[in-house]
Amino acid sequence: MELPFAESWKIKMVEPIRKSTREEREQWIKEAHYNVFQLKSEQVYIDLITDSGTGAMSDRQWAAMMLGDESYAGATSFFNLKNTITKLTGFEYIIPTHQGRAAENVLFSYLVHDGDIVPGNSHFDTTKGHIEGRHAIALDCTIDAAKDTQLEIPFKGNVDPEKLEKVLREHADHVPFIIVTITNNTAGGQPVSMQNLREVRTIADKYNKPVLFDSARFAENAYFIKMRENGYQQKSIKEITREMFDLADGMTMSAKKDGIVNMGGFIATRLKEWYEGAKGFCVQYEGYLTYGGMNGRDMNALATGLDENTEFDNLETRIKQVEYLAKKLDEYGIPYQRPAGGHAIFVDASKVLTHVPKEEFPAQTLTVELYLEAGIRGCEIGYILADRDPVTHLNRFNGLDLLRLAIPRRVYTDNHMNVIAAALRNVYERRESITHGVRIVWEAPLMRHFTVQLERLS
């Protein structure tokens, strides 16, 4: 008899979490203006708003923190982190930052200018914000298949080579670089194939353009390449990782994801020009070059986390839990972006709340309903996150409208997944009675979903 699958770790510390009543949640979400970002953590039972900085660090990471070197300049912790990143990626030049959006801010301050066009696969919120905030255009070149949530193909996060080449053919003079997000978060945590990365590299070389990877979940992308792409089954995650980054000129990283730390990020590149251009902005915005926005203990924890999370067993445990939740949703007939992504389940709100018009934000409505049902906090990845068109100032309704349930690494058990699935089932079973959504009463001009204020319509 084949043994059942089990986690590749054991638990040695726990944190209590509290259940609440429906009446309490009704009041709390109203006080939060129906924006789950504004809830207090103690008002949440199972927190799936993000997998960023919410993972459980290992004993090796905690031990590494005790050896952190907090020297202002030239800390051994920086060189420990630098050596780990260079070994994994091949990139020589490293700039630490306090998180991924800081890495974007530092690098884009040098690379992105008014009137530029940055093509890529479904830019995530901060990436798009840092581009559009500089009066440039973030252009989506994801394959069309990504918009069909029920279509099962192995690499739904891929860049469409024809779309990309068309942009470069028509606007090459305005393109500072090509960006590829691995995995593609906005499209549902979907991976990008090695073959597609090679195609992007070929097109980039044809037009003499550099390639940047948004690499928050690069290890998960490598796992999917190993499991789904021909010729990679016998290769290690570290070997696949190096092959991926050999096709890029640089990377930005929110290390709070696949680095499994609570805070941290970095820029890494093989281009001395990028390093020289960006390092002044690091000193201006983040700190000195050998700590950036990080302290020594966190750099040590990150170096260990990057090493641990580029091993197969760690990744398999994490991704199998996401698959487990997906199978429970399959039992209940709940539609989500298929196949299941690496870090989250993305429920297709437009197929669940069919009576809520897009102008009333179905995914945000579903996010609120799930919280009211069981105190579970997800995150809208849809029409509110999309912001307004910078030219017309109209809401952008041309993408997917998804409820993201991001699973923190090494935090919850499969029993929690059962609760999440049952709560979604309860909402799904009463979906016909949900006919109205929410409207915006206040919003910020960029990245509005973090602070937007809403009211329920009835």
Side-chain angles (χ1 to χ4, degrees), residues 328-441:
K328 298 299 292 185
L329 299 191
D330 287 340
E331 290 179 26
Y332 304 143
I334 299 170
Y336 58 87
Q337 174 67 292
R338 308 177 70 91
H343 70 288
I345 294 293
F346 292 72
V347 180
D348 190 341
S350 62
K351 286 182 165 55
V352 175
L353 300 184
T354 55
H355 299 307
V356 177
K358 66 180 186 296
E359 293 82 7
E360 296 178 15
F361 306 107
Q364 183 66 24
T365 303
L366 184 58
T367 302
V368 171
E369 290 291 340
L370 180 61
Y371 174 72
L372 291 173
E373 181 67 30
I376 298 165
R377 177 161 65 169
C379 178
E380 188 253 28
I381 304 291
Y383 301 148
I384 291 181
L385 179 139
D387 283 331
R388 295 180 181 270
D389 185 283
V391 177
T392 67
H393 302 293
L394 297 174
N395 283 312
R396 291 187 269 206
F397 294 120
N398 58 336
L400 294 170
D401 197 35
L402 307 170
L403 161 59
R404 186 185 71 176
L405 305 173
I407 313 300
R409 294 160 183 81
R410 304 186 292 210
V411 169
Y412 293 115
T413 70
D414 285 353
N415 285 331
H416 293 101
M417 301 303 110
N418 293 335
V419 173
I420 296 161
L424 268 174
R425 178 196 60 198
N426 291 348
V427 175
Y428 187 66
E429 287 178 349
R430 57 180 172 83
R431 65 191 182 280
E432 296 295 327
S433 67
I434 304 172
T435 57
H436 294 285
V438 295
R439 77 176 185 91
I440 296 173
V441 296

Side-chain angles (χ1 to χ4, degrees), residues 108 118-121 123 127 159 177-181 212-214 252:
F108 291 6
V118 182
N121 60 337
H123 306 71
T127 314
V159 177
F177 58 90
I178 299 160
I179 187 166
V180 185
T181 305
L212 178 74
F213 286 174
D214 178 347
T252 56

Side-chain angles (χ1 to χ4, degrees), residues 19-30 39 43 45 370-376:
K19 294 180 181 178
S20 57
T21 66
R22 172 89 184 201
E23 290 74 20
E24 286 175 322
R25 296 192 293 273
E26 289 274 7
Q27 182 63 31
W28 292 337
I29 194 67
K30 182 178 180 180
L39 291 168
Q43 296 169 340
Y45 177 45
L370 180 61
Y371 174 72
L372 291 173
E373 181 67 30
I376 298 165

